[in-house]
Amino acid sequence: MLIETIKVDINVKNIMFKRVIKLQKYFLFFGLGVFLTNCDTSFNLADSTTTDFSISVEKVLHEHISILASDEYGGRAPATPGEVKTIEYLRDNFIDLGVGPGNGDSYFQSVAVTEIITKSDAVMNIEGEAYEATLAYGRDMMVGTQQQVPELNVSGADLVFVGYGIVAPEYEWNDYAALDVRDKTVVILVNDPGYATQNENLFNGNAMTYYGRWTYKFEEAARQGAAAALIVHETGPAGYGWEVVNSSWSGPQIGLEAENLNRDRTKIEGWLTKESALSIFNGAGLDYEALKTGASLRGFQATPIGDVKLSVSIENSIRNSTSQNVIAAIPGTTRPNESVIYTAHWDHLGVNPELNGDNIFNGAADNATGTAGLLALAQLHMQKDRPERTIVFLAVTAEESGLLGSKWYAEHPIFPIETTVANINMDNLNTFGRMRDVVVVGAGSSELEIYLEDAVLAQGRYIMSEPNPERGYYYRSDHFNFAKVGVPALYAESGEDSIDYGREWGAAQAQEYTDNRYHAPGDEYDPNWDLSGAVEDINLYFEITNELANSLDFPQWFDGNEFKAVREISRAKRQ
């Protein structure tokens, strides 16, 4: 017993020493990455992967993406025939690779979902003594609901401008202070005051916090008892154009099945175009831009929008069904209850029958690429000796509907959350070729970035923080639900510094995708895609996981991170 105790103590000391050395290297290396953006970064990447490895993995990715993003799969919407094809394809490929089921003897984890389709003939009426307007669905506004009921009506509800709609005690911020919005409609700005002011000392400066996400704003409006909540869309702070709102909110909307039918949510949730909002504010005799500026200042007080009232009715078709997370695993040899979990969402937006022409949202980049990456990684790991810890491959459902599949897993884990070592997430892999830089979404979060740094150095690349932190990508993919329950989560991918064409070209490709193909029927598979950069990223994920899966280490959140306290609660179970 004494010998065993000494061995454990030595192991712990070795882990801590390794952690200190890695931390020193990481912060030096991250600073170097920032410096390199202003220097000649013509690295020789020839040794980062072998030609045979790259060609083999790239071929695997192309094959899987071409199938998953084909019209035959119908846009892979949950609870549709496209789901059946998708989950069976994934299961069969895991079986062929020799990767076992991850949920007992099953490759599936059932997720009870409710599909809501709001009829597109909804009309919003705005009326005041000196102003009237009728807003059209799609053109002027988008509305829907989380309440799982066939009909909803809001009639004559006062409009109140609540700024960013945030209640954040840790930032000493409360947009609802001394305000009763029960049975009223709240009008809300997108993003948060840090972005609006570019003040690094306000919220998280330019980087969006969760308080800036539209999901939070609707949640808070419901907690405050509002009858309806409308967010004013602006492309800059939202990070995407109106077309994305239109396409994402029309057609079937998926939510987790709720016993109370989500009656605790606001009746109506939706968006206004900026033009619609300007018209309403002007009609009420208010200066929208001046109010918006005031909303970003501490001490802001909510403002009634004149005597203007809102009326809107919606009709919904409701369908309850079951969707599936797909889960496969390579069991650990010595510590099977400790796991490293890869995630990628298999779902996309399906088919919108009300669109003319091409109405299939194939979701090739988003996220047939990441789903294909799961299969490629499973194949790579099966070529190695069995790991000491379990490696899990989790393809989650209903990400596009609010990260629902990963939320379900995080709340109903198959492998203990307390001893889940890490989550590595893939969402929209690089289709533009090899990049010198690797972007960490939500940089400075956890020690997983130190493991990433080692793998990046081995490829002759450098790490950068994300180029558009104001878009809140950290809160927009499935790793977020693991982070919320304390699991260190890494979301890292190719940046924009193209080896062949430079940074300006890379940034232009990413923006073109966001502007024209993101959440649009144009996100289709292209056999000419250069997936060599995706291959390098997959190799990064593989190296990190292979090290963690054969280690005693549990990476930690950095001090000051919002998720560290949750993880610390279960520290004893990782000793």
Side-chain angles (χ1 to χ4, degrees):
M1 181 66 81
L2 178 61
I3 293 174
E4 289 180 0
T5 303
I6 291 172
K7 283 182 178 178
V8 170
D9 188 52
I10 291 172
N11 280 333
V12 170
K13 287 180 178 178
N14 286 340
I15 290 169
M16 295 307 296
F17 177 75
K18 177 181 176 183
R19 179 172 287 141
V20 170
I21 296 301
K22 278 182 173 283
L23 278 167
Q24 291 173 340
K25 287 171 59 186
Y26 172 70
F27 288 112
L28 175 64
F29 183 66
F30 188 83
L32 180 63
V34 175
F35 168 75
L36 286 171
T37 60
N38 297 314
C39 300
D40 177 11
T41 54
S42 49
F43 293 113
N44 178 6
L45 298 182
D47 295 330
S48 64
T49 59
T50 66
T51 302
D52 288 345
F53 172 87
S54 180
I55 291 173
S56 174
V57 176
E58 192 167 353
K59 182 180 178 182
V60 166
L61 291 176
H62 271 288
E63 178 182 351
H64 291 314
I65 297 167
S66 67
I67 293 170
L68 291 165
S70 65
D71 284 355
E72 181 184 355
Y73 280 62
R76 304 188 309 281
T80 67
E83 164 166 357
V84 176
K85 290 181 181 295
T86 302
I87 65 174
E88 289 182 350
Y89 180 83
L90 293 173
R91 177 201 61 197
D92 292 348
N93 272 272
F94 283 127
I95 290 173
D96 290 345
L97 291 170
V99 184
N103 187 13
D105 60 358
S106 175
Y107 286 90
F108 302 131
Q109 181 189 36
S110 295
V111 181
V113 297
T114 297
E115 176 192 86
I116 303 175
I117 302 177
T118 298
K119 291 183 65 174
S120 60
D121 60 357
V123 174
M124 182 181 293
N125 292 309
I126 310 292
E127 295 183 9
E129 185 174 336
Y131 176 80
E132 289 187 9
T134 299
L135 305 184
Y137 182 93
R139 185 192 68 196
D140 306 314
M141 58 82 179
M142 292 298 296
V143 289
T145 186
Q146 292 289 321
Q147 293 198 18
Q148 298 167 358
V149 295
E151 296 180 358
L152 285 164
N153 176 64
V154 173
S155 180
D158 293 336
L159 269 68
V160 182
F161 176 62
V162 295
Y164 288 92
I166 293 171
V167 178
E170 69 274 30
Y171 293 113
E172 298 181 346
W173 198 278
N174 186 353
D175 287 325
Y176 288 96
L179 183 66
D180 183 357
V181 296
R182 284 175 293 180
D183 300 322
K184 297 178 181 178
T185 296
V186 292
V187 178
I188 314 168
L189 298 172
V190 72
N191 216 306
D192 62 40
Y195 168 81
T197 60
Q198 297 294 294
N199 180 349
E200 293 183 0
N201 297 316
L202 193 58
F203 285 73
N204 200 21
N206 184 52
M208 183 190 286
T209 63
Y210 184 59
Y211 294 113
R213 284 289 288 149
W214 60 267
T215 48
Y216 164 79
K217 295 175 189 297
F218 291 138
E219 291 164 0
E220 188 59 53
R223 283 191 285 270
Q224 299 292 330
L230 301 173
I231 297 174
V232 179
H233 173 267
E234 294 192 48
T235 298
Y240 41 78
W242 180 253
E243 296 79 9
V244 173
V245 176
N246 194 333
S247 61
S248 300
W249 279 64
S250 57
Q253 305 294 303
I254 306 296
L256 295 178
E257 193 174 306
E259 268 189 51
N260 69 348
L261 304 180
N262 285 334
R263 289 287 197 180
D264 55 346
R265 296 297 295 253
T266 58
K267 289 183 178 180
I268 301 293
E269 298 176 354
W271 294 75
L272 297 171
T273 64
K274 183 179 180 181
E275 293 74 20
S276 296
L278 283 170
S279 176
I280 294 169
F281 278 71
N282 288 340
L286 299 175
D287 185 334
Y288 170 79
E289 294 296 341
L291 286 169
K292 184 171 77 168
T293 299
S296 64
L297 304 177
R298 197 175 298 281
F300 163 81
Q301 291 187 328
T303 303
I305 304 178
D307 65 350
V308 174
K309 300 181 185 298
L310 171 142
S311 297
V312 61
S313 298
I314 60 174
E315 295 182 19
N316 306 308
S317 62
I318 310 292
R319 182 169 68 96
N320 293 322
S321 59
T322 300
S323 188
Q324 303 290 340
N325 289 333
V326 182
I327 184 166
I330 301 173
T333 55
T334 58
R335 296 184 301 284
N337 285 332
E338 298 175 5
S339 61
V340 181
I341 301 181
Y342 288 116
T343 49
H345 72 91
W346 61 254
D347 69 297
H348 200 55
L349 300 176
V351 178
N352 185 350
E354 297 192 2
L355 282 184
N356 295 322
D358 184 3
N359 61 3
I360 300 176
F361 292 75
N362 300 82
D366 182 14
N367 187 36
T369 57
T371 308
L374 279 181
L375 295 174
L377 282 161
Q379 186 170 344
L380 291 172
H381 281 290
M382 287 302 291
Q383 294 168 1
K384 303 283 287 186
D385 292 337
R386 285 254 315 268
E388 296 172 14
R389 289 166 158 165
T390 298
I391 299 175
V392 180
F393 307 89
L394 178 61
V396 294
T397 183
E399 187 268 0
E400 302 290 11
S401 302
L403 317 182
L404 301 181
S406 56
K407 181 177 188 291
W408 183 267
Y409 179 89
E411 293 175 355
H412 305 85
I414 295 168
F415 297 88
I417 288 295
E418 297 82 2
T419 53
T420 297
V421 179
N423 166 239
I424 296 176
N425 186 52
M426 293 173 288
D427 194 349
N428 209 327
L429 296 183
N430 170 19
T431 60
F432 306 124
R434 298 165 72 197
M435 302 289 167
R436 293 181 177 92
D437 56 336
V438 175
V439 165
V440 180
V441 180
S445 294
S446 82
E447 291 173 358
L448 288 175
E449 295 166 44
I450 305 170
Y451 291 84
L452 175 68
E453 171 252 322
D454 283 347
V456 167
L457 266 179
Q459 291 186 352
R461 300 166 75 186
Y462 66 92
I463 290 178
M464 283 296 296
S465 57
E466 56 191 307
N468 302 110
E470 74 279 3
R471 296 180 180 178
Y473 288 125
Y474 194 82
Y475 309 102
R476 290 168 58 177
S477 196
D478 291 298
H479 61 282
F480 178 49
N481 281 320
F482 284 87
K484 285 201 296 186
V485 294
V487 176
L490 180 67
Y491 183 20
E493 58 192 5
S494 287
E496 297 175 345
D497 189 3
S498 168
I499 289 174
D500 293 327
Y501 306 108
R503 178 172 293 281
E504 186 176 341
W505 179 89
Q509 302 310 301
Q511 193 60 51
E512 186 278 331
Y513 171 80
T514 299
D515 292 343
N516 300 313
R517 289 180 284 134
Y518 175 64
H519 282 201
D523 186 4
E524 300 201 66
Y525 169 69
D526 184 346
N528 296 314
W529 275 348
D530 183 351
L531 298 178
S532 57
V535 172
E536 288 193 324
D537 291 350
I538 283 172
N539 198 34
L540 294 176
Y541 310 145
F542 173 78
E543 293 296 337
I544 295 166
T545 298
N546 194 50
E547 181 175 357
L548 288 172
N550 293 286
S551 162
L552 292 172
D553 202 3
F554 281 93
Q556 299 177 13
W557 294 103
F558 290 140
D559 288 342
N561 184 272
E562 60 194 297
F563 307 114
K564 185 177 180 69
V566 178
R567 187 66 161 176
E568 288 298 302
I569 293 171
S570 62
R571 174 192 283 269
K573 296 186 178 180
R574 294 185 294 278
Q575 299 301 318

